[in-house]
Amino acid sequence: MISTKYAPQEIESKWYQYWLENKFFASKPDPEKEPYTIVIPPPNVTGVLHMGHMLNNTIQDVLIRKARMEGKEACWVPGTDHASIATEAKVVAMLKERGIEKKDISREEFLEYAHEWKDKYGGIILDQLKKLGASCDWDRTRFTMEPSLYDAVIETFVRLYNKGQIYRGVRMVNWDPLGKTALSDEEVIDKDIQAKLYFIRYELVGETGKYLTIATSRPETIMADVAICVNPTDERYLDFHGKSVKIPLLGREIPVITDEYVAVDFGTGCLKVTPAHDLNDYELGLKHKLPVIDILNDDGFLNEKAVLYVGQDRFAARRNIVKDLEEAGLLEKMEEYKSIVKTSERTGAVIEPKLSLQWFLKMEELSKPALENVMNDNIKLYPHKFKNTYRSWMENVHDWCISRQLWWGQQIPAFYLQDGTIIVAKTKREALRKAQHELMLFALTEEDLTQDPDVLDTWFSSWLWPISVFDGIKNPENEEINYYYPTNDLVTGPDILFFWVARMIIAGYEWRDELPFKNVYLTGIVRDKQGRKMSKSLGNSPDPLDLIQQYGADGVRSGLLFSAPAGNDLLFDEKLCEQGRNFCNKVWNAFRLVKGWTISESNERKPESELAIEWLNSKISQTITEVQDHFSKFRISDALLSLYNLVWDDFCSKYLEIIKPGFEQPIDKATYEATIGIFEKLMCLLHPYMPFITEEIWQALTDRTQGATICHAEFPKEGAVNIDVLADFEILFDLVSKIRETRNAKQISPKTELPLSIKAEDQGRYKQLEGIIRKLGNTSEIDFVSSNVEGAISFVLKSDEFFINLAGELDVEAELENAKKELEYNLGFKKSTEAKLANERFVANAKPELVERERQKLADADAKIKALEEMIVRLGGK
RNA sequence: GGUUUCAUAGCUCAGCUGGUUCAGAGCACCUGCCUUACAAGCAGGGGGUCCUAGGUUCGAAUCCUAGUGGGACCA
C-alpha cells in the first residue's frame, strides 16, 4: 500500500545518493554535443545557505536540468570564494577563543589556521545545496584560494601591471578601523542616522571676541583642520577673506579661504577643511595646496598629531571635545541632523575616510567593451531594466582599489627593494632575476626583497571565475575552456551586478576577448511579508534546511518559484512552500490512483477515453510550446505555473476523472498504457522544478534498467495539436460546469442523476462526448430535442440550448431574471461590436483577422440572443 | 538632490507590438461535500473607478504629459 501522503525525506536522500553514485551530473567536453554551462556565483566560504541562495540555485538547477534533458552537455560548476575579510574575521575569532592573538603569530601560521578553518566549515554551504537537489558537477568544485585559481590571480595582476593598468597610489579610501583594511565602495553600506550638528566658534586671529562659527558633525576632527572655507559670494563673510582663525582649544592658526564649492545655505556657510578625514575636503585641500594632517591611527584612535585627546577612540574624543568646547564657551549650539554614516559590510564599523597607499586598477579602458557589449545586447540582462543601471555605473566607473590589509587572500606579487623600487613578478625568485637583469643589481639576494604584505580584494579573484574554473588564464587553449567558454547563463542577485557581474564581463573581454556568458538572469531579493530584506541580523529569515525538512525540497523549490518573477523582489511566505508541498501530494496521489488500477486483458476500449487521450495530448503540446516560450524569456515562474495548471487541472481534475474506471473495475490496456506514457511525459516536464518526486514516480511507472534516470530522460517535445478536439472539450467543460452549478444551486446531491436535454444544430458534437458528459456531470442519458422542454431549468452555450428537467425545481422568476440579465449583456456586447464594425476607420485600419474575429463574435452573439429571447418568451417574460 | 522603476481583486503578482481568447492567476474568503487517488482534497461562488488628472486614437490597464505615492541605484 502506498501512503496517502507524500513523504519526501527518505525519497530525497535516496535519489540524491543514487545520482551521485552514478555521476549523472558529471560533464566532460563532448564535441558531438552542444555545451550548456553555468558557473555558480561562488557563495562566501563562511556562509550558510539563506533564502537568496535557495532561490538563485533553484533557478540554476532548473535551467541546467532542462538543458541536460534536452541533450546538451550540461555543466554546472560549483565552488566558493575565500571572502578575505569575512573569513579573516572568523579565523581571528577562532584564534581568540584559543587564546591566540593574530599579532603574536606569523603570517604562515595564520594561513595554516585559516585553511584549517576552511576545511572544517567551508563545505557547509555546498552540502546544503545538495539537500536542495542541486545537480552540480561536484568533481569540479573550485575554491578561489586553491593553487590553480590563486596562480591565475597572481598572473593577471602581473600582466595588468606590465600593461600599465595597475598602479600604486595615495588615495582617500574607505577605511574599516575594526578590520583595519581598506574597503571598496561596494563593501560599504550607507546607514541613515540621527546625528548632531555642532556649531563651533573659531576666534579670529588678532581680533579677540570676533568669531567665525562653523557647523560640523565631527568636532573631534577639528585638530586636523587646515583652513576655513567660505563661498566668495557670501556677503556675511567678505570681511574675513584672507584672515586667519584659531582652532578652538588647540589654538593653531589656520587661514580663511574662499571656494565656490561651499554651500551658502548649509550650516553657517563656513566649512572647516579637514583633508585627511573627508574626501571632499581632501580634494579642496589639493586644489588650494593645503597641508594634510592625519590625526587618526589605523584603529580609529587619535594619534600625537591631534595633540589633544591622544590615545582616545574617535567617539570618546567626540564626547570629550564637545564637553570641553561647551565649558570653554565655544560651542554655540547643537542641532539635530539627519545624516548617513558609512559602515563596513563585514564588520559593521563606521568607515573612516582615510588617506593611504593602495593598489589600483585603472578601469576606464578596461570597462569599454564591457559597457558596449551589454548595450548592444551581445550579453542580455534579464530583466532588461537593469541595462540602464548598468550603463550609469559603467559610464562613471572609478578606479578599483584592489589591495586589502589582510593576510587571507592572494598576496600582492610586488617586491620592494630597500630604496623602495617596486618589482612586480609572480615569485620572489623571478623578481630577483628581474632586479638583477633589468636593474643590473647582480649582488642582490632574495633577502633584499620584501614582498608587499597586503592581499588582493576577493572580487579580484571572482572576476576571473568563469575563466579560472576551467584553468583558462594559465592555459588559455586547453580543451575545457575552449569547449565550455563562453558559458551560457549567469544567475545572481542585482545587488552584485556591478562589483561582480560587470567585472566578470570586463575580465572576459580582457583575457579571452569574448563575453563570459550570454545571459544574465537577475533574481529578485527575497523579502519577508513586510517587505524587509531577509537577513540573519533581523532574524526574519526561516532556516532553509528547516523548510526543506518540513515541506520537502521539491515543495520548497516550486514554492519559491511560484512567485519569483525575474528581477522582482519576492515577498516570501511559508504559504508558498505549503502550496508546493500540496502540489507534490497531488501528483503523488495521481500516481497512487494510476498504479492502483487493474488492467483488463480485453482489447476493448472506450471511445471517450480515446478522445480524452487525444485532447490531453493536444493540451500538453500546447503547454510545451508555452513553456518553451517562457523559458526563452527566462520566465521560469510562468513556465512552472503553466505546468502546474496542466498537471492539476487538465490531467488530474479532467483527464483522470474521464478515464477513471468505476469502482473495482479494470481499465483497458490501451488507455492504461497511454496514461502511463502521459504520466511519464508530465514527470519529465516537471523534473527540472521537482527533481525528487519526479524521479521517484518515473522509476516506478514502468520497469527501468539499472542506472536509468529521469535526469537523462528526454525533455518532451511538442506534438500535434488537434484544434477541433480542443474546441469540443472547451464546450464540454463549460457544459459540465453549468450542470454542476445547477446541481449546487439546487442543493442536489452529486449522487443524483440529472436529466439532460440538448437542443442543438450539431448533435454529433455532443453525441461523441455523451459518455464524458454523463460521467463528469452525472446526468442520465442525453435526450436530443428539437423543441423546448417545458418547465425545465435551461441555459444557453454558444447557440445551443440545454435543459435540465427537475420537476418542481424550476424557479421561474429567478430563471427569468438570469436570462434577462444575460440578454442585456449580450445586447450591449452586440451593440459595441456592431459599432466597431460600422466604423470605417476600424475596418480600414485594423488587421483583417481582427475584423473577421469581430464578425464571428457578432454572429455568435446573434445566435445567443435569439436563443435567450426564445427562452424568455417560454418562461413567460416578454 | 540626480537617474531609474513601479502603482491592476483583501494579499502577491501576470497582462508582450493598443482591439471581448482583457479585466486574469495563485493565495485568502464564502457555500456545499469524509464521492471509492488525494480534506495537503472535491464541486461551485462572490470580489477590481486597472493610483489621479489631462492628452493621442475609431478604440487605452496598455502609448504620451503632469501630479501623488512606493522601491532601486548614484551623489
Side-chain angles (χ1 to χ4, degrees):
Chain A
M1 194 61 201
I2 318 172
S3 153
T4 67
K5 297 240 188 313
Y6 175 62
Q9 286 79 16
E10 271 172 52
I11 286 172
E12 290 179 0
S13 54
K14 173 182 75 183
W15 290 119
Y16 205 85
Q17 193 64 30
Y18 175 72
W19 295 336
L20 287 186
E21 278 165 10
N22 287 281
K23 293 208 180 284
F24 290 142
F25 310 143
S27 170
K28 56 172 189 281
D30 179 352
E32 299 294 307
K33 288 163 86 181
E34 183 189 336
Y36 178 88
T37 318
I38 295 181
V39 292
I40 206 168
N44 174 340
V45 71
T46 67
V48 289
L49 202 66
H50 60 60
M51 298 302 289
H53 290 128
M54 288 247 283
L55 175 64
N56 86 55
N57 285 294
T58 299
I59 292 168
Q60 289 172 72
D61 197 40
V62 169
L63 294 173
I64 205 94
R65 281 181 184 271
K66 177 165 177 282
R68 192 178 291 122
M69 293 173 79
E70 287 174 327
K72 295 175 187 162
E73 186 55 48
C75 179
W76 183 10
V77 183
T80 45
D81 82 33
H82 63 279
S84 50
I85 186 164
T87 308
E88 182 143 337
K90 294 263 181 194
V91 176
V92 168
M94 174 183 87
L95 290 175
K96 203 162 226 161
E97 260 175 39
R98 299 187 192 174
I100 305 169
E101 289 288 326
K102 182 185 165 191
K103 62 176 168 45
D104 295 335
I105 58 176
S106 72
R107 185 177 190 120
E108 286 66 32
E109 284 170 313
F110 180 84
L111 289 179
E112 251 172 65
Y113 284 118
H115 279 290
E116 176 194 326
W117 187 92
K118 186 260 167 185
D119 290 340
K120 201 163 167 192
Y121 303 106
I124 291 178
I125 194 159
L126 299 180
D127 287 335
Q128 290 176 317
L129 286 177
K130 292 176 183 170
K131 292 266 185 293
L132 188 64
S135 63
C136 304
D137 182 353
W138 295 108
D139 295 338
R140 293 181 176 275
T141 305
R142 293 287 181 274
F143 177 51
T144 51
M145 277 286 276
E146 70 182 61
S148 158
L149 279 77
Y150 191 113
D151 292 348
V153 169
I154 297 302
E155 185 158 337
T156 53
F157 183 95
V158 173
R159 270 151 71 177
L160 286 167
Y161 178 84
N162 289 339
K163 279 179 77 177
Q165 297 283 45
I166 285 179
Y167 63 92
R168 196 173 186 230
V170 175
R171 282 293 175 84
M172 187 69 87
V173 296
N174 301 301
W175 185 260
D176 176 345
L178 213 62
K180 289 188 198 163
T181 179
L183 299 177
S184 72
D185 288 342
E186 289 76 25
E187 291 165 311
V188 172
I189 299 168
D190 288 346
K191 278 197 185 141
D192 290 313
I193 51 147
Q194 189 63 43
K196 281 196 172 64
L197 209 51
Y198 302 90
F199 289 74
I200 302 171
R201 288 178 174 166
Y202 286 57
E203 193 177 15
L204 220 59
V205 174
E207 298 185 44
T208 317
K210 244 185 138 180
Y211 298 96
L212 265 185
T213 305
I214 59 96
T216 180
S217 58
R218 301 199 59 191
E220 75 278 14
T221 63
I222 65 170
M223 287 84 79
D225 287 354
V226 294
I228 295 293
C229 190
V230 296
N231 193 300
T233 61
D234 193 336
E235 292 183 358
R236 291 173 295 180
Y237 303 116
L238 290 176
D239 286 354
F240 296 86
H241 294 184
K243 296 190 175 161
S244 291
V245 294
K246 280 188 212 162
I247 295 177
L249 304 177
L250 191 64
R252 181 154 52 77
E253 293 180 12
I254 53 173
V256 177
I257 60 169
T258 62
D259 197 286
E260 305 278 353
Y261 164 76
V262 180
V264 176
D265 54 358
F266 183 82
T268 61
C270 296
L271 175 76
K272 68 195 255 322
V273 183
T274 323
H277 303 294
D278 183 280
L279 181 57
N280 295 316
D281 289 11
Y282 176 66
E283 274 160 17
L284 201 59
L286 281 182
K287 186 170 163 190
H288 293 272
K289 299 194 169 59
L290 296 167
V292 175
I293 301 170
D294 186 347
I295 61 165
L296 286 175
N297 282 334
D298 289 354
D299 55 6
F301 283 66
L302 276 66
N303 62 27
E304 330 60 71
K305 291 203 190 105
V307 181
L308 305 170
Y309 313 105
V310 174
Q312 292 187 18
D313 173 71
R314 53 199 161 136
F315 301 110
R318 183 179 305 171
R319 282 193 298 277
N320 291 329
I321 197 169
V322 168
K323 206 173 72 200
D324 294 344
L325 284 168
E326 207 165 6
E327 278 167 14
L330 295 168
L331 185 65
E332 200 172 292
K333 60 173 177 175
M334 290 189 279
E335 266 180 15
E336 291 297 317
Y337 169 54
K338 263 209 178 88
S339 168
I340 46 164
V341 62
K342 289 170 182 277
T343 61
S344 163
E345 187 184 20
R346 294 293 174 213
T347 67
V350 174
I351 293 302
E352 199 58 55
K354 185 176 167 65
L355 281 172
S356 67
L357 196 55
Q358 303 284 345
W359 289 92
F360 290 89
L361 175 63
K362 291 183 193 168
M363 293 293 270
E364 206 183 326
E365 281 304 312
L366 283 175
S367 61
K368 275 182 184 156
L371 172 60
E372 194 187 314
N373 284 288
V374 167
M375 295 326 287
N376 66 16
D377 283 335
N378 278 347
I379 297 170
K380 292 196 184 67
L381 305 186
Y382 292 89
H384 306 305
K385 63 180 178 187
F386 285 107
K387 252 172 98 169
N388 278 325
T389 316
Y390 183 85
R391 185 181 54 207
S392 66
W393 273 333
M394 295 300 269
E395 283 176 349
N396 298 293
V397 68
H398 298 292
D399 286 354
W400 175 10
C401 173
I402 52 174
S403 44
R404 296 289 182 274
Q405 288 62 51
L406 300 165
W407 282 351
W408 179 240
Q410 292 87 4
Q411 191 172 359
I412 292 175
F415 301 85
Y416 304 105
L417 302 187
Q418 264 142 8
D419 67 354
T421 306
I422 299 171
I423 298 167
V424 169
K426 281 181 212 168
T427 60
K428 199 173 218 181
R429 177 174 297 181
E430 216 178 298
L432 178 65
R433 203 160 43 227
K434 234 173 143 181
Q436 288 172 334
H437 289 84
E438 289 169 21
L439 304 173
M440 311 286 177
L441 299 169
F442 300 109
L444 222 57
T445 66
E446 286 197 13
E447 272 78 74
D448 299 314
L449 293 171
T450 321
Q451 184 169 2
D452 192 300
D454 291 352
V455 298
L456 290 159
D457 181 11
T458 306
W459 297 106
F460 198 80
S461 311
S462 34
W463 76 321
L464 303 176
W465 187 250
I467 306 174
S468 59
V469 295
F470 299 115
D471 200 26
I473 297 285
K474 293 186 303 156
N475 297 305
E477 285 306 321
N478 82 72
E479 185 193 9
E480 298 232 319
I481 189 83
N482 282 334
Y483 183 73
Y484 290 115
Y485 190 95
T487 69
N488 295 69
D489 304 328
L490 180 84
V491 181
T492 190
D495 45 341
I496 53 174
L497 181 57
F498 179 65
F499 60 136
W500 189 47
V501 179
R503 286 172 186 168
M504 277 191 289
I505 300 175
I506 291 173
Y509 284 103
E510 175 65 16
W511 303 109
R512 297 201 61 83
D513 201 20
E514 198 172 13
L515 41 85
F517 28 71
K518 296 167 191 121
N519 301 296
V520 180
Y521 175 103
L522 298 153
T523 67
I525 292 166
V526 183
R527 301 178 179 276
D528 68 6
K529 270 192 276 187
Q530 286 124 59
R532 298 172 307 176
K533 188 170 171 174
M534 282 191 168
S535 73
K536 229 196 273 178
S537 51
L538 266 177
N540 60 347
S541 175
D543 179 347
L545 292 188
D546 284 352
L547 286 177
I548 289 175
Q549 179 64 31
Q550 215 177 329
Y551 299 101
D554 291 330
V556 175
R557 289 165 62 113
S558 44
L560 265 174
L561 290 183
F562 276 135
S563 73
N568 286 349
D569 288 358
L570 172 146
L571 297 189
F572 181 77
D573 187 339
E574 259 190 56
K575 268 250 155 3
L576 291 168
C577 293
E578 205 178 304
Q579 195 188 342
R581 180 199 60 183
N582 294 354
F583 184 39
C584 290
N585 203 42
K586 186 70 189 178
V587 172
W588 183 248
N589 276 296
F591 168 67
R592 286 180 58 225
L593 173 69
V594 171
K595 281 316 265 188
W597 286 332
T598 48
I599 302 147
S600 112
E601 287 307 313
S602 85
N603 286 325
E604 207 182 324
R605 177 178 192 181
K606 286 188 184 147
E608 63 257 34
S609 297
E610 215 166 322
L611 262 180
I613 291 164
E614 172 89 9
W615 163 75
L616 186 61
N617 276 323
S618 290
K619 200 82 195 172
I620 292 173
S621 284
Q622 269 190 332
T623 307
I624 292 173
T625 308
E626 230 172 86
V627 164
Q628 292 290 13
D629 181 56
H630 286 316
F631 267 98
S632 73
K633 294 167 186 158
F634 282 89
R635 304 176 71 116
I636 314 292
S637 181
D638 300 65
L640 172 61
L641 208 57
S642 294
L643 292 170
Y644 179 85
N645 291 328
L646 175 71
V647 170
W648 201 307
D649 299 342
D650 296 319
F651 180 63
C652 293
S653 300
K654 292 172 180 159
Y655 174 82
L656 287 179
E657 291 302 329
I658 294 171
I659 64 147
K660 185 158 91 174
F663 185 52
E664 293 193 334
Q665 298 285 306
I667 189 163
D668 68 87
K669 204 163 173 221
T671 303
Y672 179 78
E673 277 166 5
T675 303
I676 295 292
I678 285 169
F679 214 137
E680 209 174 311
K681 221 175 190 181
L682 294 175
M683 291 305 94
C684 290
L685 287 168
L686 279 179
H687 179 255
Y689 291 94
M690 310 200 303
F692 295 107
I693 189 173
T694 51
E695 177 80 290
E696 171 76 11
I697 292 177
W698 186 88
Q699 293 280 353
L701 278 172
T702 60
D703 292 333
R704 304 288 176 191
T705 53
Q706 180 60 31
T709 178
I710 193 174
C711 302
H712 290 171
E714 191 192 3
F715 194 77
K717 293 194 174 76
E718 62 266 40
V721 174
N722 186 333
I723 297 174
D724 295 333
V725 170
L726 284 173
D728 285 349
F729 270 66
E730 204 171 311
I731 295 175
L732 162 73
F733 294 127
D734 278 351
L735 172 57
V736 170
S737 290
K738 276 288 189 190
I739 296 167
R740 287 170 171 172
E741 197 181 322
T742 306
R743 187 190 296 281
N744 255 331
K746 301 294 173 199
Q747 306 269 22
I748 300 166
S749 155
K751 287 173 186 159
T752 311
E753 271 192 359
L754 295 181
L756 176 69
S757 308
I758 301 179
K759 184 178 138 197
E761 298 260 325
D762 177 11
Q763 295 188 356
R765 163 181 272 170
Y766 298 101
K767 275 189 178 139
Q768 59 158 353
L769 297 169
E770 176 163 3
I772 304 178
I773 296 169
R774 293 187 59 182
K775 196 165 189 180
L776 297 187
N778 192 21
T779 66
S780 61
E781 201 168 321
I782 295 172
D783 180 23
F784 288 94
V785 296
S786 51
S787 59
N788 299 325
V789 179
E790 291 302 320
I793 295 168
S794 61
F795 49 86
V796 177
L797 291 171
K798 297 270 178 183
S799 54
D800 301 332
E801 275 188 84
F802 302 82
F803 306 90
I804 296 171
N805 197 356
L806 293 169
E809 281 288 351
L810 182 68
D811 181 344
V812 178
E813 285 299 311
E815 295 294 319
L816 195 56
E817 200 182 320
N818 274 338
K820 279 181 170 169
K821 237 191 231 165
E822 215 176 326
L823 179 64
E824 200 181 329
Y825 171 82
N826 278 282
L827 285 171
F829 176 63
K830 181 186 171 181
K831 205 173 153 193
S832 77
T833 311
E834 272 176 340
K836 204 178 279 185
L837 286 166
N839 185 328
E840 279 170 38
R841 294 217 252 177
F842 170 71
V843 179
N845 295 332
K847 283 182 240 163
E849 61 264 32
L850 196 68
V851 178
E852 190 41 48
R853 206 156 68 200
E854 292 299 318
R855 293 219 167 93
Q856 186 56 48
K857 278 183 209 153
L858 186 61
D860 287 352
D862 271 332
K864 183 146 192 174
I865 286 165
K866 189 164 158 262
L868 282 166
E869 277 169 348
E870 277 177 27
M871 187 193 225
I872 288 168
V873 171
R874 190 175 73 248
L875 289 164
K878 305 166 206 167

